[in-house]
Amino acid sequence: MMRTPPFIFSIVPSLILLSVAFLPSSRARVVDPRCRVPDRGSTLRVFHVNSPCSPIRPATGGLSWEENILRMQAEDQVRLQFLSSLATGQKSSVPIASGRQMIQSPTYIVRVQIGTPGQTMLMAVDTSNDAAWVPCSGCVGCSSSTVFDPTKSTSFKAVGCQAAQCQQVPNPTCGVRSCSFNTSYAGSTIAASLSRDTFTLATDPISGYTFGCVQKAAGTSIPPQGLLGLGRGPLSLVSQSQSLYQSTFSYCLPSSKSLNFSGSLRLGPVGQPVRIKYTPLLKNPRRSSLYYVNLIGIQVGRKVVDIPPAALAFNSTSGAGTIIDSGTVFSRLVAPAYVAVRDEFRKRMGNATVTSLGGFDTCYNVPIVAPTITFVFDGMNVTLPQDNILIHSTAGSTTCLAMAAAPDNVNSVLNVIASMQQQNHRVLFDVPNSRVGVAREACS
């Protein structure tokens, strides 16, 4: 599959937080002064990695629109392999596409100050991961020239092997004085020492935040300046800041058409939308970090398409069901669900000739007026306008339905609501009340 924009019930290239690639050669650039608006209160600006406000925009290398879409699809496929392994609790091998280097890094980034005094890191946000980690000085294989230097922070501490957190990281090992761990992210691996320091989000300092100080990295899937996990596990931001933010946050992912491509990550219950509809969060004990929801149907226009109930059913043993993920760009549905939606969509297009582009099998080279697509959840409907379901070539000659079937070579029981479909919505995660809400909002 190809890489697509992060999700939110409508996003084009990855959430909060998360899915166009950072290139290993990314480096600081001159940023428009209008982009230097500071984060305020408990709200952080969320930048798309391709935003004019992003200091680490990847170089396009002269790729055409079609080539960029193919690249994003390939990166999404790696992401789906990663998510499927999380859902089933099994280790996975990463597929290698012939003749193509796949880079799987989240699309959305936020500014975080780490240490005392604070060192600014532009960390990717990812709703399907827990632990935070950043490249530290002396890291072997890290791609960013911006690294965190523990020796310049008066509040930095190593986490000892006796600490409870040492048992909460994957593959922990004990050194002379501190706990270390190894983990994988999509197709890459990192080795990090478990550490504590002050994380400052907007104007809120969180002292003693436990994170991984990366000492060694291998692969092309790692966000250059680190990752801030927004999952539900014990080392996530949601858990470590519970006393401050009550395990509540929301984000609004900006449209790729907005001038500055910037949205917001709002932490805590204060200032969250009042008029919003909710659906319950479901729990998978094997993978409690993932945000499972109960998708019970899909409409194309006003027609409820005929989807076998098993294609949408939640099963904690197999990992089947539907998750909301900020790190995938284009939504993926299991084959029976996708085919039903696609066929009804094509039917609405009449006799227009269907073409394909990589993993997108429903494209048109003539102007079309697309119907809305509605995700029907338990207790909540989310209706996506055309901007959330169609991608257009820069020349305007090709338009594709921006969804696809789950790839055959991964666990094909997982539906993923991705960032393009979340775009320009406020998505509210209320963990204490085990619910997620969605409301339409212009994010930029």
Side-chain angles (χ1 to χ4, degrees):
M1 282 188 152
M2 304 181 269
R3 178 157 192 162
T4 58
F7 111 93
I8 211 179
F9 297 177
S10 148
I11 282 172
V12 186
S14 196
L15 178 267
I16 279 174
L17 341 118
L18 328 195
S19 223
V20 173
F22 293 96
L23 297 186
S25 60
S26 60
R27 58 181 179 270
R29 306 183 183 194
V30 177
V31 179
D32 190 310
R34 292 174 298 175
C35 301
R36 300 187 182 278
V37 177
D39 296 327
R40 299 182 182 279
S42 297
T43 299
L44 287 73
R45 298 182 76 189
V46 172
F47 296 103
H48 190 289
V49 67
N50 284 343
S51 164
C53 287
S54 170
I56 51 176
R57 280 178 290 166
T60 61
L63 295 180
S64 67
W65 177 80
E66 289 81 3
E67 289 169 333
N68 267 308
I69 292 298
L70 292 172
R71 175 180 59 84
M72 287 190 289
Q73 288 177 334
E75 292 164 353
D76 255 7
Q77 178 133 334
V78 178
R79 174 76 179 182
L80 291 163
Q81 180 87 18
F82 170 64
L83 292 175
S84 294
S85 69
L86 291 181
T88 59
Q90 298 176 350
K91 295 181 179 179
S92 66
S93 59
V94 178
I96 300 299
S98 176
R100 180 185 297 275
Q101 180 188 44
M102 291 191 266
I103 302 171
Q104 175 57 50
S105 295
T107 301
Y108 291 95
I109 55 177
V110 295
R111 289 180 296 211
V112 180
Q113 298 283 327
I114 303 177
T116 307
Q119 300 174 42
T120 301
M121 303 296 290
L122 295 169
M123 302 176 71
V125 283
D126 192 336
T127 54
S128 295
N129 277 273
D130 292 331
W133 36 263
V134 296
C136 286
S137 53
C139 177
V140 176
C142 290
S143 61
S144 178
S145 59
T146 300
V147 297
F148 173 67
D149 187 347
T151 65
K152 295 181 179 180
S153 172
T154 60
S155 50
F156 177 86
K157 294 181 180 180
V159 174
C161 293
Q162 73 284 357
Q165 291 89 341
C166 190
Q167 301 306 313
Q168 295 168 349
V169 293
N171 309 309
T173 58
C174 282
V176 177
R177 293 186 302 169
S178 63
C179 176
S180 299
F181 67 95
N182 295 284
T183 189
S184 61
Y185 186 79
S188 299
T189 59
I190 63 170
S193 58
L194 200 57
S195 310
R196 287 195 187 101
D197 209 332
T198 298
F199 273 42
T200 301
L201 307 175
T203 58
D204 297 332
I206 305 172
S207 61
Y209 198 100
T210 302
F211 68 102
C213 195
V214 180
Q215 306 298 327
K216 186 176 182 180
T220 57
S221 305
I222 301 172
Q225 294 191 28
L227 180 136
L228 186 64
L230 296 174
R232 290 189 274 180
L235 291 182
S236 71
L237 174 64
V238 171
S239 297
Q240 292 202 57
S241 64
Q242 184 175 7
S243 61
L244 181 62
Y245 299 131
Q246 287 80 62
S247 298
T248 301
F249 71 94
S250 71
Y251 58 75
C252 194
L253 303 183
S255 166
S256 61
K257 296 179 180 180
S258 63
L259 178 62
N260 289 328
F261 292 76
S262 90
S264 63
L265 170 62
R266 189 173 298 154
L267 302 168
V270 176
Q272 301 294 359
V274 176
R275 305 180 73 175
I276 189 170
K277 293 182 179 180
Y278 291 95
T279 187
L281 282 170
L282 306 178
K283 292 184 178 180
N284 179 346
R286 299 177 58 167
R287 284 298 175 183
S288 58
S289 299
L290 298 178
Y291 290 102
Y292 276 92
V293 290
N294 189 12
L295 178 65
I296 59 178
I298 302 175
Q299 294 178 198
V300 176
R302 294 185 178 181
K303 181 177 175 58
V304 178
V305 296
D306 186 13
I307 298 174
L312 303 179
F314 172 68
N315 185 312
S316 60
T317 301
S318 67
T322 302
I323 67 168
I324 293 177
D325 176 53
S326 64
T328 307
V329 180
F330 304 117
S331 290
R332 308 287 176 163
L333 302 174
V334 300
Y338 174 71
V339 170
V341 171
R342 177 201 66 189
D343 289 353
E344 181 61 28
F345 184 92
R346 289 179 177 180
K347 181 178 178 182
R348 298 297 183 98
M349 295 302 100
N351 296 324
T353 300
V354 177
T355 63
S356 64
L357 177 61
F360 295 128
D361 63 4
T362 302
C363 301
Y364 300 89
N365 295 322
V366 296
I368 62 170
V369 177
T372 58
I373 291 180
T374 299
F375 290 135
V376 180
F377 299 96
D378 179 10
M380 172 183 78
N381 290 358
V382 176
T383 298
L384 306 179
Q386 292 195 27
D387 283 350
N388 290 83
I389 60 177
L390 299 178
I391 54 172
H392 308 276
S393 66
T394 51
S397 57
T398 301
T399 299
C400 298
L401 175 63
M403 298 180 188
D408 292 335
N409 66 332
V410 302
N411 172 21
S412 58
V413 297
L414 189 65
N415 300 295
V416 180
I417 307 297
S419 60
M420 180 174 181
Q421 283 60 58
Q422 297 179 61
Q423 188 175 297
N424 280 329
H425 291 78
R426 172 69 56 182
V427 182
L428 171 59
F429 296 85
D430 181 357
V431 175
N433 293 303
S434 194
R435 61 184 184 173
V436 60
V438 180
R440 186 76 178 160
E441 180 180 320
C443 298
S444 301

